[in-house]
Amino acid sequence: MGIQELTLESLNVGEFISEKVAEIKSVVGEGVAISALSGGVDSSAVTLLAHRALGKRLKTYFIDNGLMREDEPEYIVSLFKRLGVDVELIDARAEFFKELKGLTDPEDKRNAITHVFYKVVFGNLVKDSGARYLLQGTNYTDIEETIAGIKRQHNILEQLGIDTEKQYGYKVIEPLIQLRKQGVREVAKALGLPLEIYARPPFPGPALSARIIGEVTPEKITIVRAATKITEQELESSGAFQYLAVLHEDRVTGIRDGKRNFGLQIEIRCWESKDAKTGSPTRLSYETLEKLADRITREIPGVVSVTYNITKKPPSTIEAV
Ligand code: XMP
C-alpha cells in the first residue's frame, strides 16, 4: 500500500518525535494549520506534535458532532488547556444529525460522517482561518482495513484516491501513519500526555454512531450513551483492550411492572486485542455480566435485554457498524 509500517521494535520514540516536528514545520512553513482533536490517543498525540512544531500557528478544534460520550467535549477541552493547548469547541450537532437522517446502511452512515466532517465543518473552518493544512491522527491499521474493504475508516482520504485539496480546499498531514496503536501510545507518553489519554481504550471516529444498528437519531444516541457510560464504569478495571455497548434495532418482548414491554436490546462487547486487527472476547465473570445487565435494564428506560457478544474478530469486527 506504499506506506512502510514502523513496528514497535524499530521505533525510536525520541527520534520519531524530532523527525515529525521538523517535518510539520517544513511542510506548513510560515502558514497556519488546523488540528482535528477528538481526544483519542491518535489525535491527541498529533495535536501535541503539531503544537511543538507550530505553537500559536496551530489552531486546534474539537468538533462536537452530537455523537460523543457523556461530557467528552468539555473534558477534552479542559484537559488540553492544562497542557497549554487552547482548543476551540465547535457545535456541529445539527449538521451531523441532518446528514445522518434516514440512513441505515453502515457504509452510508460512515460516508455521511466523513462528508460532514471534512467538507462542511472543516471546509468552513479552513476557509475562515486561512489554514491550508489539516493534521489528523490516521494510523497504519486505519488504512489497512479501509483498503482491504472491511470498513471505511472515517479518516481515510488520500489512500482512497480523494484529492483533499481539490475537494475540500486543504491538504492533510498524517504524522502517525506508519504506526499502530501501541507505537502511538509510546509517542503520546513521551510527548507528556497524561495516562488517562495515552492509555485510553480506542474510540471510533464515527463515535457512538458506530454503535447503533439502523438509523442514528438523537434519541438513540441518548440511550447508547447511557449504556456506554455504565459499560465503561463496570469494565474499566477489566484491563481489556476495548469495551463497548451497541444498541440494536430489533425489539424483543420483556416485562416491566408486571406488564408486557416490547423493548430495546443492548449488546455488550469486551475485547482482548493487541492492535485491533484481530480480537477475542474477554472471559468476564458472570458476576460482572450480571451487574451490567442489572444496571443497564434498571437505569435505562426501555431496555429489556442485555447480551454479551462471544464472537472473535474475524469474523466479527470490533465495532458493530
Ligand atoms: P473494527 O470495528 O474495524 O475496529 O474492527 C478496529 C478498531 O478501529 C476503531 N474504529 C475506528 N477508528 N475511525 C477510527 O478512528 C473509524 O471510522 C473507526 N471504526 C472503527 C475501533 O474502535 C477499533 O478499535
Side-chain angles (χ1 to χ4, degrees), residues 38 42 110 113-114 137-139 141-142 145-146 150-156 181 201-207 210-211 241-242 244 269 271 273 275-278 313 316-321:
S38 72
D42 305 332
R110 285 175 168 268
I113 286 170
T114 300
T138 325
N139 67 38
T141 311
D142 294 339
E145 295 221 330
T146 301
I150 296 166
K151 257 178 213 186
R152 183 206 207 290
Q153 305 283 311
H154 79 289
N155 51 6
I156 302 299
K181 210 63 158 193
F203 188 72
R211 299 174 180 177
F241 174 81
Q242 199 170 351
L244 53 117
R269 297 180 175 198
W271 293 102
S273 176
D275 53 15
K277 249 181 106 172
T278 58
K313 172 181 179 176
S316 178
T317 55
I318 288 182
E319 305 290 344
V321 168

Side-chain angles (χ1 to χ4, degrees), residues 29-276:
E30 290 308 306
V32 171
I34 276 181
S35 176
L37 176 66
S38 72
V41 62
D42 305 332
S43 70
S44 296
V46 165
T47 299
L48 281 201
L49 278 175
H51 186 252
R52 272 200 195 176
L54 306 171
K56 289 270 174 232
R57 287 185 295 116
L58 177 75
K59 305 261 174 258
T60 302
Y61 295 105
F62 184 102
I63 308 302
D64 183 359
N65 53 17
L67 314 170
M68 296 285 167
R69 285 172 288 189
E70 193 173 298
D71 299 331
E72 182 78 2
E74 298 74 18
Y75 165 65
I76 295 301
V77 171
S78 72
L79 189 146
F80 273 80
K81 200 168 183 68
R82 273 184 272 136
L83 295 170
V85 181
D86 283 333
V87 181
E88 196 176 325
L89 185 58
I90 305 288
D91 182 359
R93 289 175 293 180
E95 285 91 333
F96 279 89
F97 282 120
K98 186 175 154 217
E99 199 75 18
L100 284 165
K101 201 171 162 57
L103 301 182
T104 53
D105 177 80
E107 292 298 291
D108 288 349
K109 283 161 41 179
R110 285 175 168 268
N111 282 333
I113 286 170
T114 300
H115 172 78
V116 185
F117 191 80
Y118 291 100
K119 178 114 190 162
V120 182
V121 179
F122 274 103
N124 286 333
L125 288 174
V126 163
K127 241 185 263 150
D128 296 346
S129 67
R132 285 181 43 230
Y133 297 94
L134 174 74
L135 281 132
Q136 67 170 19
T138 325
N139 67 38
Y140 196 79
T141 311
D142 294 339
I143 338 172
E144 216 173 39
E145 295 221 330
T146 301
I147 289 174
I150 296 166
K151 257 178 213 186
R152 183 206 207 290
Q153 305 283 311
H154 79 289
N155 51 6
I156 302 299
L157 302 162
E158 286 176 8
Q159 296 80 6
L160 290 176
I162 297 174
D163 181 338
T164 58
E165 208 163 20
K166 248 199 211 140
Q167 291 209 17
Y168 307 134
Y170 53 82
K171 279 204 158 106
V172 175
I173 308 177
E174 299 169 309
L176 307 177
I177 203 134
Q178 290 174 278
L179 302 179
R180 291 197 193 267
K181 210 63 158 193
Q182 258 331 95
V184 179
R185 291 196 197 285
E186 295 298 325
V187 170
K189 189 174 172 186
L191 282 165
L193 279 158
L195 177 100
E196 55 195 297
I197 294 291
Y198 75 72
R200 219 173 185 204
F203 188 72
L208 297 175
S209 77
R211 299 174 180 177
I212 290 176
I213 314 291
E215 188 185 5
V216 177
T217 62
E219 295 72 28
K220 287 189 190 169
I221 288 287
T222 305
I223 294 165
V224 84
R225 183 180 282 137
T228 301
K229 187 175 176 183
I230 297 170
T231 305
E232 291 189 350
Q233 282 171 350
E234 295 300 329
L235 299 184
E236 196 184 352
S237 60
S238 67
F241 174 81
Q242 199 170 351
Y243 30 86
L244 53 117
V246 177
L247 173 61
H248 279 260
E249 195 169 29
D250 285 346
R251 289 179 175 250
V252 290
T253 299
I255 315 166
R256 283 253 179 220
D257 306 322
K259 286 204 186 84
R260 174 192 149 89
N261 180 233
F262 198 44
L264 301 167
Q265 300 191 70
I266 292 285
E267 172 192 329
I268 308 290
R269 297 180 175 198
C270 184
W271 293 102
E272 298 303 311
S273 176
K274 280 211 163 57
D275 53 15

